[in-house]
Structures are given as structure tokens and as C-alpha cells.
Amino acid sequence: MGMSCAQRCIIISFFRRCRNITYPANLPQVSVVFIFVNEAPSVVLRSMHSVISKTPAHLLKEIVLVDDHSNNDELKEKLRAYVDEVNARQPGFVKVIRHQKQEGLIRSRVSGWRAATAPVVALFDAHVEFSVQWAEPILSRIKEDRTRIISPSFDNIKYDNFEIEEYPLAAQGFDWELWCRYLNPPKEWWNLGNTTAPIRSPALIGCFVVDRLYFEEIGLLDEGMEIYGGENVELSIRVWQCGGSVEVLPCSRLAHIERAHKPYTEDLTAHVRRNALRVAEVWMDEFKSHVYMAWNIPIENSGIDIGAISNRKALRQRLQCKGFKWYLHNVYPEMRLYTDTVAYGMLKNVLKNDLCLDQGPEMDNIPIMYICHGMTSQNIYYMSNQQIRVGVLSPTIDDNDNKCLVDVNNRPRLIECSYAKAKRMKLYWLFTQGGSIQNRKSKRCLELQGSPDNEFGFQLLLQKCTGQRWTISNVLKKTSSQ
Ligand SMILES: *[C@@H]1O[C@H](CO)[C@@H](O)[C@H](O)[C@H]1NC(C)=O
Ligand SMILES: *[C@@H]1O[C@H](CO)[C@@H](O)[C@H](O)[C@H]1NC(C)=O
Ligand SMILES: [Mn+2]
């Protein structure tokens, strides 16, 4: 991530201003929980050293280490030696929880919380480095209002050389697959002209600090989630919809190693997807379709077992939470909505059922037919305004717009929808399930030319309609070509 001079200047000046803020003397104590599985021992030790040296001793009640069933013996030995040494000076200061079987990140966070005893609990990864005064701003915000859940501002520690790379100030959010992402801080925050002011945040990217008892009242984390992902989004939506708030503090900085390989499994995608569907089903009301659309899976009979969600639904009922529409409108207005989707999924020509319309090489803007794999380059969305959108669902208004299929001089091309619309290009298509795809203005049809014997021999083209037919995986409402 590159950074302009302007951003560097902001960082330098807010550090100076942050140092100038004084915090109340009687702040609540914090328990810092580190979760890990097969982390390098030096990295866990570094995180512990760092929190001890950067937190005033009277504020740091204890450190809780949660080892989610690591199979690394060196890790166990080295940690034991260090923990014994610290505890010899300060009995009980470091608590170690070892899971007898792997519980995943989500239940590991909850077991760290269960072991914690301070009024405030910080739930962090074990590959972080703290900066001076990371704790004071957070503890004073929570002391003022215990329903605030708080994230420090993140910098990156490069995993290969441990250099710290400063990141610009950001709020935290997610896309429609519910992967987390950084967001530009909201307009109201910029308008304050105070770079040390708290940044209202739609979500948390993962590490957070919370009042210990409030966290329980609000329902901890969704322990029905497995392995990794989605829990941070679920917590954030829940806290907002049920009366609390989430914020990022510019004056509390944490550097975090963005690892090349996450633990647990090679590919976390299936776990994130399952957990995301739980969030969609419990919290997102009529907008849950967006999560299914983004993952390109059917809403009914998705074939994915998301486990029981009745407890989480009962929690929502008990806490009398607001709806997701309220959240989108009031907390995450940057999110793009796709409520006018008519059909979505993979788009196939009946001539050749194993090829799918695909956005092709990212920079080309030329759609192709490619072996069906169902990943985001083959996400197709047919909208009620008769646009055909191709590729990943653009999550927020600050991201590039979606690409639309356009007839450009008789050739199929992909062009940003808003641009194509502004330039009055040919971006509207008549289509019903199992029918042709015909451009409304040029009257040409999207068709294949080539031999069915050679799977790569097919060309995608626009031509005088010969009656070729197309199907899309999921139809949401009755398709209309009026
Ligand atoms: C720091 O605080 C002092 C006294 O409150 C004030 O005079 C000074 O301008 C402040 N400095 C900055 C950089 O904000
Ligand atoms: C800026 O925000 C900080 C942190 O909330 C606050 O202490 C300070 O008073 C604010 N400064 C101004 C000029 O409002
Ligand atoms: Mn991490």
C-alpha cells in the first residue's frame, strides 16, 4: 500500500497531537488476550514484551494466552519458560489456556474472554506490536460509555523483515462476501478537522477491546461459527443494531503482521462463506440475498450446512435489535445495494454447457467464454434495468463501479456501468431465462461462434440473432424484458 506525502504529514502531526492529550488517572484495568495456533515463538514473545512495555503497569491486569491446539513443541517450551519467569515475579500475571482440540479463532476468543478478570478485555492476535499510549485512549472511551467496542488504528508489520509500514487512518468495514476491509473515515469525521477524534466505524477488522460484562450482555461472539472469519462482522452489526457502537481510535496504534499464510488451513474461503451465511440469516433481513449473490450461491438449498442459528435469532429477539436496513442507512451508508437484481450466477450458452461467461483478463475489458469455475470473474448479475454486470460485486461507493456488458462497435466489451450509462452506450439487454440475450438498441445478440468439438474454439460475439439460448444459475424474481 503506497502512501502519499500528505498522508505522512497527517500521521506525524496527529502523533504530536495525540501525545498532548491527557487521560483520566482512574482508568479501568485491561486483560489482554492473545490467540494463536502454531505461531512462531519469537512472535508471541514479542507481542507479550510489547504489551508489557507499552502499557502502564497499573492498567495491565493480566495477559491471557490462548493456544488453540498448536502442535509446535518448541512453541510450548519457549512460552512455558517465559511465562514461568514472568509469573515468578508477578504470580498469576500470565494465564495460559490450551485447547485439547482445535476450536477455531472464534471460540478461542471467547475462551480467552472467559479466563479474563479485568473490567475491560482486549482480544488480539498474537502477532502485534503496541505503540506508546495504545491503551489510555481506549480505556477512557470505554469508561465514558461501556457500550462502545473499540479498535486501535492498524499499521502493518511486514512479515518478511518486520519493518513497520504506517497506514492511513481508516474506519473498518466489509464487502458483501463479508471479508473485512479498510474504509475511508466518514465525512463527519473529516469535517471535525481533528485527526485525533474517534472514527465511527461500521465494523471491526478483527482485534478489539470491550467492556468485559457488556460483551457478555450483548452475546459474546457467535460460537456456532467455525475456524475463521465473519465473527468480526457479526459482532459489529449486532452491537450497532442492538444499541451500542463501534469506533476506531487514531491515537491508539497497533502494528499487526499481515501474514502471507493464515493459520488453520490453506484456504479459509469455505469457512468464511459458511460463517457469512450465518450472519446473513440472523442479521441481514431482506438484504441477506446480497451475501448469497456475492458468493454466487443459491439462496434456497445452497447445499451449505450453516449449523443451528435459533440461539442467535433468539438473542436478536431478546435484545430487541433494530433491522439491517437501519444499519445500512445510519451506520454503513457507503455500502452499495443490489436490491434490483433479477438473476445472478454463472451464465451459460446451451450450445456448450461447461463454458461460462467470464470477465477475462482484468485489464482487457473483453469478456470471454471460459471453463466454468464459479469464482468471482464469472459472477453475472442481470438487473431489473436490463444491465448485465460481470465480475465481483463492487462493495462500496468508494470502490470502482461494477462492469457492464456493452455493445461497442458490434463487439462485446466490459465498461464501468455508470460511465457507460453517462455516455449513453448500448448497455441494456433483453433476456429471459433460457432465451436469447439481445441488445435493446443495436438488436444484435450475444452469441457463440465456433465448433462444439473444440472447447477453446468458441468465440463470444455480437451478431444478427440466430436464436442461441442462455441460462443463468439463479433467478430471483420473474424475469421481465419489458
Ligand atoms: C499542547 O497543549 C498545550 C497546552 O494545553 C498547547 O498550548 C499546545 O498548543 C498543544 N500542542 C499541540 C501540538 O496541540
Ligand atoms: C480532538 O479530539 C480529541 C480526542 O477525542 C479531544 O481530546 C480534543 O479535545 C479534540 N480537539 C478539539 C480541538 O476539539
Ligand atoms: Mn492477524
Side-chain angles (χ1 to χ4, degrees):
M1 185 192 247
M3 194 177 291
S4 69
C5 171
Q7 284 164 333
R8 279 190 191 285
C9 296
I10 286 174
I11 285 170
I12 292 162
S13 74
F14 85 65
F15 261 125
R16 211 171 283 147
R17 273 184 242 150
C18 286
R19 296 275 156 81
N20 216 15
I21 297 175
T22 52
Y23 298 101
N26 55 345
L27 292 171
Q29 284 194 308
V30 60
S31 301
V32 173
V33 178
F34 291 122
I35 313 292
F36 56 89
V37 54
N38 293 333
E39 192 101 50
S42 61
V43 169
V44 181
L45 292 181
R46 235 178 126 100
S47 302
M48 293 172 66
H49 272 297
S50 172
V51 77
I52 290 172
S53 66
K54 300 295 167 48
T55 316
H58 70 282
L59 294 181
L60 184 59
K61 176 153 193 205
E62 66 202 350
I63 295 175
V64 179
L65 298 177
V66 181
D67 179 346
D68 192 17
H69 199 59
S70 298
N71 50 25
N72 176 346
D73 288 331
E74 193 200 354
L75 175 62
K76 286 177 197 161
E77 311 263 304
K78 292 206 167 158
L79 277 186
R80 189 175 304 129
Y82 182 75
V83 168
D84 290 348
E85 185 192 316
V86 173
N87 283 344
R89 275 175 293 162
Q90 226 177 318
F93 184 71
V94 183
K95 296 179 172 163
V96 183
I97 312 292
R98 287 191 203 281
H99 287 170
Q100 294 312 304
K101 66 179 182 59
Q102 200 152 81
E103 296 288 349
L105 176 75
I106 296 110
R107 290 194 294 272
S108 295
R109 290 222 156 109
V110 176
S111 58
W113 172 84
R114 289 208 169 91
T117 58
V120 175
V121 183
L123 294 157
F124 289 158
D125 297 350
H127 39 267
V128 292
E129 203 152 307
F130 297 79
S131 65
V132 172
Q133 279 203 344
W134 75 275
E136 292 88 329
I138 297 182
L139 296 175
S140 50
R141 289 294 286 176
I142 291 176
K143 184 181 152 74
E144 271 172 36
D145 181 349
R146 64 196 286 272
T147 70
R148 289 173 180 151
I149 299 197
I150 297 185
S151 168
S153 289
F154 285 89
D155 295 307
N156 184 26
I157 304 177
K158 295 183 181 165
Y159 64 87
D160 44 359
N161 62 7
F162 285 88
E163 265 177 39
I164 292 190
E165 176 188 18
E166 288 167 348
Y167 275 172
L169 287 176
Q172 299 166 12
F174 52 88
D175 62 22
W176 280 117
E177 289 181 336
L178 310 193
W179 293 98
C180 61
R181 61 198 352 256
Y182 290 113
L183 304 173
N184 195 16
K187 220 188 277 124
E188 310 86 75
W189 181 85
W190 290 107
N191 289 343
L192 283 179
N194 182 354
T195 48
T196 67
I199 303 170
R200 223 175 105 88
S201 185
L204 296 155
I205 66 168
C207 299
F208 58 92
V209 187
V210 60
D211 180 280
R212 184 167 58 85
L213 296 179
Y214 175 65
F215 192 39
E216 183 171 42
E217 287 162 30
I218 203 81
L220 301 173
L221 295 173
D222 177 359
E223 293 179 81
M225 290 185 173
E226 298 294 342
I227 307 293
Y228 181 95
E231 86 292 347
N232 50 331
V233 175
E234 193 267 351
L235 172 64
S236 314
I237 294 173
R238 170 157 47 87
V239 166
W240 277 114
Q241 288 184 199
C242 311
S245 64
V246 176
E247 64 190 35
V248 177
L249 294 185
C251 291
S252 172
R253 291 196 85 90
L254 187 73
H256 166 256
I257 304 178
E258 276 171 26
R259 293 176 294 184
H261 303 284
K262 301 221 186 252
Y264 291 115
T265 79
E266 278 298 298
D267 186 6
L268 293 167
T269 307
H271 301 291
V272 174
R273 184 175 65 186
R274 174 189 180 276
N275 293 344
L277 298 183
R278 289 179 67 86
V279 184
E281 290 294 338
V282 176
W283 296 101
M284 293 189 164
D285 309 323
E286 70 269 33
F287 298 92
K288 73 177 187 182
S289 59
H290 288 60
V291 178
Y292 288 87
M293 288 194 281
W295 283 105
N296 212 351
I297 50 180
I299 296 174
E300 307 290 340
N301 307 318
S302 69
I304 297 167
D305 178 5
I306 66 166
I309 53 171
S310 51
N311 284 348
R312 300 310 281 179
K313 285 190 158 174
L315 173 72
R316 179 174 171 174
Q317 194 70 36
R318 180 156 54 76
L319 295 173
Q320 308 236 305
C321 306
K322 297 190 180 79
F324 195 66
K325 191 176 189 164
W326 174 90
Y327 170 84
L328 285 174
H329 190 255
N330 293 282
V331 182
Y332 201 1
E334 300 90 347
M335 203 72 172
R336 282 184 198 266
L337 299 183
Y338 297 94
T339 44
D340 50 349
T341 308
V342 173
Y344 69 97
M346 290 179 277
L347 185 64
K348 301 175 180 188
N349 188 299
V350 295
L351 278 184
K352 190 73 180 111
N353 206 41
D354 57 350
L355 294 185
C356 282
L357 187 73
D358 189 296
Q359 71 177 13
E362 184 86 41
M363 301 317 294
D364 279 5
N365 293 330
I366 302 175
I368 59 173
M369 294 305 288
Y370 195 78
I371 300 288
C372 296
H373 52 62
M375 289 186 277
T376 53
S377 66
Q378 298 183 347
N379 286 13
I380 311 298
Y381 302 92
Y382 187 58
M383 313 304 291
S384 62
N385 65 7
Q386 300 178 330
Q387 291 177 359
I388 295 177
R389 298 181 176 177
V390 179
V392 66
L393 262 195
S394 167
T396 78
I397 54 176
D398 294 323
D399 295 282
N400 289 336
D401 194 4
N402 300 273
K403 295 276 182 67
C404 268
L405 180 70
V406 181
D407 176 342
V408 178
N409 301 325
N410 310 344
R411 295 196 172 84
R413 289 292 180 262
L414 297 175
I415 296 182
E416 230 172 68
C417 302
S418 48
Y419 179 86
K421 187 179 173 200
K423 296 286 179 189
R424 300 172 166 276
M425 299 173 102
K426 298 168 193 148
L427 75 159
Y428 300 108
W429 305 85
L430 306 177
F431 170 58
T432 53
Q433 182 72 302
S436 59
I437 297 179
Q438 184 180 32
N439 191 279
R440 215 164 73 186
K441 206 181 227 171
S442 72
K443 305 294 181 207
R444 278 182 289 265
C445 278
L446 184 71
E447 296 199 340
L448 295 189
Q449 188 185 60
S451 150
D453 304 325
N454 174 0
E455 59 187 6
F456 292 109
F458 279 103
Q459 292 289 316
L460 190 63
L461 77 175
L462 294 173
Q463 63 182 5
K464 188 162 181 295
C465 303
T466 69
Q468 283 185 21
R469 293 156 1 122
W470 295 82
T471 59
I472 191 162
S473 334
N474 307 287
V475 177
L476 279 169
K477 304 174 203 148
K478 192 172 161 24
T479 329
S480 153
S481 53
Q482 275 23 275

